């Protein structure tokens, strides 16, 4: 069996007539954390949105475990095991943390959702203590953990997560990164966009630097972490230094 979970093959995608991804090709391994790097506008978040069916693929194809999922809807992709935690806060602030979790499991039914909630909360003891508080009253870190927990209810085999550290304290960021590493070690494939580059590289397996919507560089995360010119990976000109692809 192939060890590749996700493959983009010559993908073009964008908004109306403005293409963000330009013949993008890359592969992400199963049970690994793959970090997407690049300057603003390079296409990092667009990769996640396209993979989750929020943007239309204009050309090329996307494969999940070797199966073509190009054109699948977000609902279909949820059913196939892809979870998405977008950037920013995406909770119903007036509803309790428990109710937000229930909404996250709406596609699998309440019986199964209620069976899985205790399992998910094992990862988030602080959120477990705040189950009956409005989500809007939780701290930023607790809200982010609740969002991740909501995605985990579906037991995704692939987790897409966009800028998980935004607005969080360094201590909470460290906890979130530890959780992502634990999930990957347990077999979940993680595709992550994160500007906290050095910290993210420490828990990642591979890194892909994007420039103008194409893959400028693909290397082991540890190799890039030790590169004294790492800034080029997220400020641009990543291709200026040749690193052997993984």
């Amino acid at each position: 069996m192939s060890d590749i979970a996700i493959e983009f093959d010559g993908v073009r995608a964008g908004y109306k007539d403005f293409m963000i991804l330009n013949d993008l090709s890359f592969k992400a391994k199963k049970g690994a954390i793959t970090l997407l790097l690049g300057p603003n506008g390079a296409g990092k978040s667009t990769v996640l949105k396209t993979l989750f069916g929020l943007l239309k693929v204009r050309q090329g194809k996307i494969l999940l475990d070797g199966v073509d999922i190009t054109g699948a809807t977000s609902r279909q992709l949820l059913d196939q095991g892809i979870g998405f935690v977008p950037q920013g806060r995406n909770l119903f602030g007036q509803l309790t943390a428990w109710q937000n979790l229930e909404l996250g499991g709406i596609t699998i039914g309440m019986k199964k959702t209620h069976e899985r909630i205790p399992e998910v909360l094992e990862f988030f003891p602080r959120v477990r203590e705040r189950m009956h508080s409005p989500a809007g009253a939780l701290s930023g870190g607790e809200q982010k953990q609740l969002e991740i927990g909501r995605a985990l209810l579906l037991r995704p085999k692939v987790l897409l997560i966009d800028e998980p550290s935004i607005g969080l304290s360094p201590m909470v960021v460290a906890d979130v990164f530890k959780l992502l590493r634990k999930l990957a070690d347990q077999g979940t494939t993680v595709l992550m966009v994160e500007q906290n580059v050095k910290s993210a590289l420490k828990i990642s397996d591979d890194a892909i630097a994007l420039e103008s919507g194409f893959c400028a560089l693909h290397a082991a995360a540890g190799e890039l972490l030790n590169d004294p010119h790492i800034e080029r990976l997220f400020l641009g000109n990543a291709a200026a230094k040749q690193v052997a692809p993984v």
Side-chain angles (χ1 to χ4, degrees):
M1 293 179 62
S2 171
D3 67 343
I4 301 301
I6 301 165
E7 180 176 358
F8 272 52
D9 183 7
V11 171
R12 290 175 58 84
Y15 302 87
K16 294 187 177 179
D17 296 328
F18 183 57
M19 291 297 101
I20 304 294
L21 306 183
N22 296 293
D23 300 317
L24 177 63
S25 296
F26 71 84
K27 297 177 182 179
K29 291 182 288 192
K30 293 179 181 177
I33 299 177
T34 300
L35 177 64
L36 296 175
L37 305 172
N40 290 336
K44 306 182 296 298
S45 294
T46 303
V47 168
L48 302 189
K49 292 176 182 177
T50 304
L51 179 50
F52 196 61
L54 299 176
L55 285 177
K56 181 181 178 181
V57 175
R58 309 292 183 85
Q59 180 179 305
K61 60 184 178 180
I62 301 175
L63 306 178
L64 174 66
D65 293 334
V67 177
D68 191 341
I69 58 170
T70 311
T73 66
S74 296
R75 173 57 193 271
Q76 291 170 331
L77 294 168
L78 280 172
D79 292 341
Q80 292 186 57
I82 298 181
F84 182 34
V85 182
Q87 185 180 146
R89 296 290 176 263
N90 295 275
L91 299 171
F92 296 93
Q94 301 303 314
L95 300 182
T96 65
W98 176 271
Q99 290 169 326
N100 271 273
L101 285 176
E102 286 185 322
L103 287 172
I106 197 168
T107 61
I108 58 174
M110 283 301 99
K111 183 177 184 297
K112 191 172 290 185
T113 296
H114 289 160
E115 290 173 350
R116 292 184 183 181
I117 285 177
E119 167 191 313
V120 167
L121 291 177
E122 287 298 316
F123 291 107
F124 310 104
R126 179 57 182 156
V127 174
R128 183 171 54 201
E129 296 172 2
R130 307 289 307 276
M131 276 290 93
H132 302 294
S133 299
L138 273 57
S139 70
E142 290 165 351
Q143 289 183 25
K144 179 54 66 177
Q145 291 175 45
L146 179 58
E147 289 179 12
I148 297 173
R150 191 171 58 183
L152 294 183
L153 275 175
L154 303 182
R155 295 179 180 170
K157 55 186 178 182
V158 173
L159 181 63
L160 314 177
I161 187 162
D162 194 354
E163 300 284 8
S165 75
I166 283 183
L168 304 184
S169 69
M171 185 176 296
V172 174
V173 171
D175 288 343
V176 170
F177 282 178
K178 285 178 185 176
L179 171 63
L180 294 176
R181 184 66 262 171
K182 182 176 182 179
L183 291 172
D185 290 342
Q186 292 177 349
T188 303
T189 301
V190 178
L191 190 60
M192 175 169 61
V193 173
E194 176 55 62
Q195 289 291 339
N196 193 343
V197 175
K198 290 190 177 180
S199 295
L201 282 171
K202 289 177 182 178
I203 58 107
S204 298
D205 298 287
D206 299 318
I208 295 170
L210 300 181
E211 284 188 30
S212 302
F214 68 91
C215 181
L217 183 150
H218 189 171
E223 186 174 358
L224 300 187
L225 185 61
N226 296 319
D227 188 334
H229 304 292
I230 189 174
E231 289 79 9
R232 279 184 287 191
L233 301 174
F234 54 96
L235 294 178
N237 299 317
K241 180 177 175 63
Q242 294 297 317
V243 178
V246 201

